[in-house]
Amino acid sequence: MRVSFTVAAGGIAAGVLTVYILVINGILLGTAATLVAQQGLAMPFWAFVLPHGALELPAIFVAGAVGLLLGRALLWPGVYGRRDALQYYGGEAARLLFGVVVLLIVAGVIEAFFSPQPLIPDLFKYLLGAGLLTGLIAYGQRQRPG
């Protein structure tokens, strides 16, 4: 949660902090994935990461979008004044952050109780992660009435 809220709040620094944190976290995850792959442990690593990461990583990306939205309000307010742009885009950002919190809570429960369980076969972990990601994508593509 701390990463997500820091990424979102980084928009106040014109989005620079948001981009920096996203890049650093991407490098850290890529480095860890490379190291475990070099040791022949990629399958168990991703079996641990995928079930909760299918929700956690998109939540962090959405928090990054929130930060960039706030940065946009500061740098390119468009037809609004900066204060009005911050108010408008801040409302949009707040709505997005509610979704981020829900995703992170569900991901945290999965990370605590499902991902680390050695008795659950890796295949089931992969299937759960793929199912969660598919469901999240389907939810994001739904048509709102009106």
Side-chain angles (χ1 to χ4, degrees):
M1 277 205 185
R2 183 177 44 141
V3 170
S4 292
F5 286 116
T6 305
V7 165
I12 297 301
V16 174
L17 184 59
T18 297
V19 172
Y20 173 76
I21 293 170
L22 289 173
V23 168
I24 292 299
N25 277 281
I27 290 170
L28 291 174
L29 180 60
T31 301
T34 299
L35 290 173
V36 296
Q38 289 172 345
Q39 299 304 313
L41 299 171
M43 292 298 284
F45 173 76
W46 289 112
F48 172 77
V49 171
L50 188 60
H52 65 275
L55 298 178
E56 184 178 0
L57 292 173
I60 292 170
F61 302 152
V62 171
V66 165
L68 295 176
L69 196 60
L70 295 174
R72 174 189 178 190
L74 289 171
L75 295 175
W76 300 285
V79 296
Y80 304 109
R82 279 194 173 72
R83 176 183 287 164
D84 292 335
L86 272 173
Q87 185 176 4
Y88 175 77
Y89 291 120
E92 295 288 319
R95 284 190 284 283
L96 287 170
L97 280 178
F98 284 125
V100 167
V101 168
V102 171
L103 288 174
L104 290 175
I105 289 170
V106 174
V109 170
I110 293 169
E111 185 174 7
F113 298 107
F114 185 83
S115 291
Q117 294 303 320
L119 297 177
I120 299 173
D122 287 351
L123 177 61
F124 290 132
K125 293 179 181 183
Y126 278 102
L127 289 173
L128 176 67
L132 288 170
L133 184 59
T134 301
L136 183 61
I137 291 168
Y139 178 79
Q141 292 180 337
R142 78 195 188 295
Q143 296 292 318
R144 286 199 268 167

